Amino acid sequence: MNEILKINHLTKTYHTLEKETVAVEDFSMDLKEGEFIAIVGPSGCGKSTILSILSGLEEKTSGDIFFKDQQIGYMLQSDALFDWLTILENCLLGLKIRGEITEEKKNYVISLLKKYGLGEFLDSYPSHLSGGMRQRVALIRTLSTKPDILLMDEPFSALDYQSRLAISEDVYKILKEEKKSLIMVTHDIAEAISICSKVIVLSSRPCKVKKVFSIHLTDGSTPILNRKTIEFPIYYDQIWKEIDYES
Amino acid sequence: MSPEQKKYLKTIKKKKVLILFLQVFLLVFLLGLWQIAADLDLINTFIFSSPSRVMKTIISLYQDGSLFHHLWVTFYETVFSFLLGTFLGIFIATILWWFRLLAKVLEPYFTVLNSLPKVALGPIILIWFGASIHSIIFMAMLISVVVAILNIYQGFQSVDSEKIKLMRSFHAKKWQICMYLIFPSNRENIMATLKLNISMCLIGV
């Protein structure tokens, strides 16, 4: 697989009146085409900062980021759907902002909505959808601009356990079918192992790479089936031990 | 429709009728109380008047043809100052949202202006604009515009930061964040401010 993203020695420092806080220190990783990578670490360690820098929302302090002509899509922690827009209008928001709405792109978005079970809700409003459906809409909104790399910041954390399982299954299927690459930030070890082929464990703040796990599961077809493999609890145990939960 | 649903709708309808009845009853009761207090000299009618005297004045104004003229002038002044205060309020709140530094600089001035009893500025406004409709409109506008600016600006600032982040992730420009997110997500807040502004303008007029 081709390498499409490379991060070298990324550092991010925040400045306040009281102090200087290093959020990310000497973070390096690379992402190959079609690869799913999870970044896990204790809460508040600075995981989300990495995604914010990659998506261009924040400036890095030092280090290098190399993209290979890739488009980036960022899926936030909350679905952030606009209540006053219909589901279709929500999904077209990115294209509207970029001034890229064409009949072809609109049809692509409609086809995604129909393909992933939201066809009958095109003209509905977000308040009529369940939490899981809203997350699916948020994902399709992110996919509307046809990004090559998806950044997901704890995308399922607002959902209950059952919905999380169901939506992670859906998201996995959608991203595989649409041939996307993924960098996902999560504090849920099980989610990371079941979805991704590589798990990067970060230390507590300032976050540094503590250990990288390459995940090889015997089944590997869907996240739920992945959870049932014999390797799953072994990886879980190993990653659990690496995370500084006490901090 | 099931009997339970019919029963439920009937209860809701009954409740609505009861609320309306009590509202009208309260109005009649208060007017009656006012009239009785005036008749029994419990209140000074020179200061508090009475419903019957108010009614007599309305009839006499109607008979000499000046009632609708006065109503029209009050209506015109209220609407004009309301529109002026509202548009100016939205416009200034948008400018403050756009230029955070300006908002920081002006923050203490708005606090002082908000706490200032605007009616106390009446004599100065009369000197500026003369004893004309302009001074009335200016006074009403002044009363409503500060409240409008502060309410609307506060609403603009409390827009969900995740939604702003989402728009920025699509590389939205500031005017797009304003048009596609800030204004639509504040429509209820703006409507509430408009309602408040009407009463503010009436005070000013």
Side-chain angles (χ1 to χ4, degrees), chain A residues 96-110:
Chain A
K96 189 178 174 185
I97 289 169
R98 293 176 179 203
E100 292 175 359
I101 294 188
T102 59
E103 207 51 38
E104 188 194 338
K105 287 180 178 174
K106 193 176 169 183
N107 288 337
Y108 169 68
V109 172
I110 293 172

Side-chain angles (χ1 to χ4, degrees), chain B residues 85-104 106 110 145-146 148-157 174-184 186 189-190:
Chain B
T86 302
F87 283 115
L88 211 58
I90 294 173
F91 178 71
I92 295 173
T94 310
I95 296 283
L96 293 178
W97 175 83
W98 199 287
F99 302 104
R100 297 292 162 97
L101 181 68
L102 184 70
K104 282 274 172 208
L106 294 180
F110 277 114
V145 78
V146 181
I149 292 169
L150 293 176
N151 277 2
I152 296 170
Y153 177 61
Q154 198 180 6
F156 284 1
Q157 276 191 308
K174 206 161 187 178
W175 70 264
Q176 289 177 312
I177 297 177
C178 190
M179 295 306 290
Y180 300 158
L181 173 63
I182 302 295
F183 282 152
N186 268 281
N189 175 39
I190 292 174

Side-chain angles (χ1 to χ4, degrees), chain B residues 41-80:
Chain B
D41 281 334
L42 296 174
I43 54 170
N44 186 344
T45 49
F46 181 74
I47 295 167
F48 294 102
S49 190
S50 71
S52 58
R53 282 181 69 178
V54 171
M55 206 56 216
K56 273 178 201 161
T57 311
I58 290 173
I59 291 165
S60 77
L61 282 172
Y62 175 73
Q63 280 167 347
D64 68 22
S66 61
L67 178 67
F68 289 106
H69 168 71
H70 290 302
L71 275 177
W72 166 248
V73 171
T74 304
F75 174 76
Y76 167 77
E77 286 167 347
T78 309
V79 169
F80 197 78

Side-chain angles (χ1 to χ4, degrees), chain B residues 187-202:
Chain B
R187 64 206 185 288
E188 279 173 21
N189 175 39
I190 292 174
M191 283 310 288
T193 309
L194 296 192
K195 281 181 197 167
L196 189 69
N197 263 8
I198 290 181
S199 52
M200 288 287 168
C201 286
L202 270 170

Side-chain angles (χ1 to χ4, degrees), chain A residues 13-238:
Chain A
T13 309
Y14 290 108
H15 300 275
T16 62
L17 281 176
E18 293 79 27
K19 58 180 180 177
E20 191 179 72
T21 311
V22 181
V24 182
E25 192 178 322
D26 197 25
F27 177 84
S28 299
M29 66 166 278
D30 50 60
L31 177 75
K32 294 185 179 69
E33 202 175 340
E35 193 176 25
F36 286 11
I37 294 181
I39 299 174
V40 298
S43 292
C45 77
K47 306 184 287 286
S48 301
T49 308
I50 297 168
L51 295 194
S52 290
I53 294 169
L54 287 177
S55 62
L57 292 177
E58 284 190 55
E59 293 283 324
K60 61 183 176 6
T61 305
S62 65
D64 297 303
I65 300 169
F66 303 103
F67 285 110
K68 197 181 158 191
D69 249 353
Q70 304 296 319
Q71 287 262 17
I72 296 238
Y74 191 10
M75 192 172 163
L76 302 165
Q77 208 162 351
S78 72
D79 57 56
L81 295 181
F82 291 7
D83 306 329
W84 57 92
L85 298 181
T86 63
I87 299 307
L88 180 60
E89 287 166 342
N90 264 292
C91 289
L92 292 172
L93 185 69
L95 292 169
K96 189 178 174 185
I97 289 169
R98 293 176 179 203
E100 292 175 359
I101 294 188
T102 59
E103 207 51 38
E104 188 194 338
K105 287 180 178 174
K106 193 176 169 183
N107 288 337
Y108 169 68
V109 172
I110 293 172
S111 72
L112 282 179
L113 283 164
K114 283 182 178 167
K115 193 171 169 185
Y116 300 114
L118 293 158
E120 56 186 293
F121 297 102
L122 297 184
D123 298 321
S124 303
Y125 286 89
S127 57
H128 297 135
L129 302 189
S130 68
M133 288 162 104
R134 290 174 68 107
Q135 279 314 95
R136 252 185 288 159
V137 174
L139 176 64
I140 292 169
R141 179 184 57 198
T142 314
L143 293 175
S144 67
T145 53
K146 296 193 174 174
D148 306 290
I149 303 170
L150 249 92
L151 308 176
M152 288 187 174
D153 187 1
E154 307 210 16
F156 320 124
S157 60
L159 302 174
D160 60 85
Y161 185 69
Q162 303 289 340
S163 305
R164 285 181 82 137
L165 284 182
I167 190 71
S168 61
E169 196 84 349
D170 288 347
V171 168
Y172 182 85
K173 191 178 144 201
I174 294 169
L175 295 184
K176 284 286 176 196
E177 279 181 18
E178 305 299 323
K179 296 184 174 59
K180 305 295 177 193
S181 307
L182 170 72
I183 301 177
M184 183 173 86
V185 156
T186 180
H187 61 261
D188 186 333
I189 302 170
E191 201 168 81
I193 302 168
S194 64
I195 295 177
C196 299
S197 57
K198 197 189 274 181
V199 177
I200 300 173
V201 179
L202 300 181
S203 63
S204 55
R205 194 166 270 222
C207 74
K208 295 181 200 170
V209 177
K210 207 171 175 191
K211 197 163 182 178
V212 179
F213 290 86
S214 284
I215 309 293
H216 301 286
L217 303 172
T218 41
D219 186 291
S221 53
T222 73
I224 287 182
L225 290 176
N226 281 344
R227 287 170 187 254
K228 293 175 183 167
T229 56
I230 48 165
E231 299 90 351
F232 183 86
I234 301 165
Y235 281 122
Y236 192 100
D237 199 42
Q238 287 174 351

